[in-house]
Amino acid sequence: MASTLFETDAPDAHVYLDRLAATDLGRAYKGRMLDELDIHPGQTVLDLGCGPGIDLGGLADAVTATGRVIGVDHDQAALDAAAERTAEQRTVVTTQRGDIHDLPLPDRSADRARTDRVLQHVADPARALDEISRVLRPGGRVVMGEPDWGTLTVDHPNGDLSHAYTRYVTGEAVRNARIGMQLPRLAAGVGLTVPTVIPVTPVFRDVQAADKILGLERTTRRALAAGYLTEDAARSWLEHLVSGPFLATVTFYIVVAEA
Ligand SMILES: C[S@@+](CC[C@H](N)C(=O)[O-])C[C@H]1O[C@@H](n2cnc3c(N)ncnc32)[C@H](O)[C@@H]1O
């Protein structure tokens, strides 16, 4: 359908996560999340939906040898990768299989928790937040990083095509597409206080760099299959993305909430 500039086959999920984490954007927002966690030596820190464990090492350094880091995920393959990645920090880092809606952890057992692009995928974000609130100690803190796909803009001379594409992303492609914006309200709903909301808005001006994160061609194909774009519209959309000056943005929210 389109230029070889696009990555037409989806990368392996862990490769995708590692690749994004290694970008300037990935390093910046993850660094900011770590700063906002304000971790002290000896604390117990949860990474909920830890995936292949990219962030566990940084958390382990922050809690030092006297603390604990627990990576939780419902995907055993992700936990295996996380355990392998943190093998040298085994005395501090453990992994535990579990669902964020029903955490396998005691009440008031953690000082800090983080979620990073997890709540956009879960069946019931409010329930997940209730669980996070349950396992945090009084004064404990959770830092959540989630996009608001409703803020996605991709410039195109035909605004109808941009609109059809973004309508597909928010309407079908992502389960909880507006979660970034909703998090402060959902957190308040389970009794957490929200001292800080930080919007992070990358501006993509290179179509290939954007494609590596947004999967532009693959998403367009799915929007076509779902009836949001016609074949001609999809072709015209992609052709312009690779030929003209490219501009896309999406806002990612870092939300700090306290028990
Ligand atoms: C986009 S990945 C992010 C991984 C990691 N936080 C990172 O930033 O690299 C989302 C992760 O959330 C996990 N996940 C999704 N729903 C979950 C649930 N209900 N309970 C636990 N983990 C879940 C997935 O298995 C996946 O590893």
Side-chain angles (χ1 to χ4, degrees):
M1 181 193 277
S3 155
T4 51
L5 274 179
F6 292 121
E7 186 174 53
T8 50
D9 293 327
D12 168 81
H14 296 174
V15 169
Y16 174 87
L17 291 169
D18 267 314
R19 199 170 70 182
L20 192 137
T23 63
D24 289 348
L25 167 65
R27 277 198 296 270
Y29 91 77
K30 282 177 181 288
R32 185 68 193 263
M33 286 182 70
L34 187 57
D35 290 348
E36 292 297 331
L37 275 167
D38 187 28
I39 294 169
H40 299 278
Q43 287 188 323
T44 295
V45 181
L46 313 175
D47 190 6
L48 303 173
C50 66
I54 292 166
D55 300 286
L56 296 176
L59 300 175
D61 290 344
V63 299
T64 74
T66 57
R68 281 189 78 194
V69 174
I70 307 171
V72 177
D73 205 287
H74 67 176
D75 176 13
Q76 188 59 48
L79 291 175
D80 291 345
E84 195 180 325
R85 192 186 294 254
T86 55
E88 286 179 10
Q89 291 153 305
R90 198 169 290 146
T91 53
V92 175
V93 179
T94 55
T95 56
Q96 201 160 340
R97 192 165 187 186
D99 192 309
I100 200 167
H101 300 96
D102 187 16
L103 288 170
L105 299 163
D107 295 356
R108 301 177 172 213
S109 56
D111 302 290
R112 299 287 186 264
R114 75 186 292 281
T115 70
D116 185 345
R117 292 163 300 148
V118 176
L119 299 173
Q120 64 175 334
H121 300 298
V122 306
D124 187 348
R127 169 88 191 273
L129 275 158
D130 206 26
E131 273 296 89
I132 293 170
S133 162
R134 177 182 69 76
V135 300
L136 280 177
R137 296 195 174 114
R141 173 180 288 203
V142 57
V143 177
M144 300 167 280
E146 300 285 339
D148 178 352
W149 290 106
T151 64
L152 176 67
T153 52
V154 186
D155 179 52
H156 194 283
N158 182 341
D160 289 344
L161 297 189
S162 292
H163 189 53
Y165 179 88
T166 53
R167 245 179 357 101
Y168 168 70
V169 172
T170 49
E172 288 199 31
V174 184
R175 190 181 221 167
N176 305 308
R178 304 302 313 265
I179 189 73
M181 169 64 87
Q182 295 163 347
L183 277 177
R185 171 167 49 81
L186 294 176
V190 299
L192 298 169
T193 56
V194 180
T196 313
V197 178
I198 303 157
V200 177
T201 307
V203 176
F204 299 102
R205 299 188 65 194
D206 177 89
V207 67
Q208 244 178 328
D211 182 53
K212 286 217 154 37
I213 293 174
L214 302 174
L216 293 164
E217 194 270 350
R218 298 192 302 278
T219 305
T220 301
R221 258 193 284 139
R222 293 204 297 270
L224 167 61
Y228 285 76
L229 292 165
T230 64
E231 190 107 23
D232 282 350
R235 188 176 311 107
S236 147
W237 163 254
L238 289 173
E239 274 171 11
H240 182 81
L241 294 190
V242 292
S243 62
F246 179 84
L247 183 72
T249 68
V250 63
T251 297
F252 182 89
Y253 285 93
I254 296 173
V255 177
V256 181
E258 290 174 342

